[in-house]
Amino acid sequence: MHHEAPIVTFLGLQFNLANILMITIASAIVFLLAVLSTRRLAMKPTGMQNFMEWVMDFVKNIINSTMDWKDGGRFHILGITIIMYIFISNMLGLPFSVVVDGTLWWKSPTADPAVTLTLATLIVGLSHFYGVKMKGAGAYGREFFKPFWFMFPIKIIEEFANTLTLGLRLYGNIYAGEILLSLLAAGLATGVGGTIAAALPMLVWQGFSVFVGAIQSFIFCMLTMVYLAHKVSSDH
């Protein structure tokens, strides 16, 4: 269902206040999880520390599958941050949405293409930064002309394509899930018959959406490491 976004204009630029709110909430949740899981470290981890160590090992395995740890170890914290932030962001709009006077305030921030494409642009930009930093500007620039000079325009197009697909894949999956949930929620409000007919599909779809949100956070993290590996590894 369509709802208006809370847009404000500042210095000629438009800002979506709902996006700012949800991005801030997602960031705060990830920060709190990190603090709570590491404030009392023990040799025999339990509870939150167990969870955080599992996430660290999981991301380490992702990095090791894409590049040598010598090159990829520096991206470990980045990968942990990305996978946790994307997952939390995907989950925020799952249980409910908040609409005030026809304006949508509570949703998954990753259900907005402006957010996902910004994240994708930052990741691709970061890969270029580390490519130049670790190989040098000259050596890195020559990579765009290998194995043949006429590959240069194709590789430039590839960079734009990587940015678009990375951002739009995440947006499309999360947005589609929230649209279907809103339609099922509308069915719950149509009376006893509508509630009965929509309740079970909504529970099933919410469970599936958790799975989709987890898979999409994994894919985003994996592709981030793949793009970084292509730029910093000497064997790519």
Side-chain angles (χ1 to χ4, degrees), residues 136-217:
Y140 180 71
R142 287 192 291 272
E143 294 288 334
F144 286 86
F145 297 90
K146 295 180 179 179
F148 305 105
W149 65 268
F150 55 80
M151 295 293 292
F152 176 74
I154 297 176
K155 290 194 174 184
I156 294 298
I157 294 172
E158 181 185 19
E159 296 301 321
F160 286 101
N162 286 342
T163 305
L164 287 173
T165 55
L166 184 63
L168 294 180
R169 179 189 299 107
L170 176 60
Y171 157 69
N173 280 276
I174 305 306
Y175 179 72
E178 291 199 357
I179 287 295
L180 184 54
L181 283 175
S182 67
L183 292 175
L184 291 172
L188 292 174
T190 58
V192 177
T195 300
I196 295 174
L200 182 58
M202 186 168 187
L203 289 174
V204 171
W205 188 255
Q206 281 191 325
F208 182 68
S209 294
V210 173
F211 172 74
V212 170
I215 290 296
Q216 289 303 314
S217 62

Side-chain angles (χ1 to χ4, degrees), residues 33-92:
L33 286 174
V35 171
L36 293 176
S37 60
T38 58
R39 64 176 179 169
R40 291 177 181 159
L41 297 178
M43 292 299 295
K44 293 184 178 180
T46 58
M48 289 293 293
Q49 184 182 341
N50 241 338
F51 163 75
M52 182 57 69
E53 289 193 7
W54 175 82
V55 173
M56 293 177 69
D57 288 339
F58 184 74
V59 174
K60 185 176 181 179
N61 289 334
I62 292 176
I63 296 172
N64 284 330
S65 69
T66 59
M67 66 186 104
D68 291 334
W69 185 250
K70 176 174 65 71
D71 293 325
R74 72 192 69 213
F75 306 124
H76 194 198
I77 300 302
L78 172 66
I80 294 170
T81 304
I82 286 174
I83 201 167
M84 290 182 64
Y85 180 79
I86 297 294
F87 178 75
I88 294 298
S89 296
N90 292 347
M91 295 299 107
L92 285 179

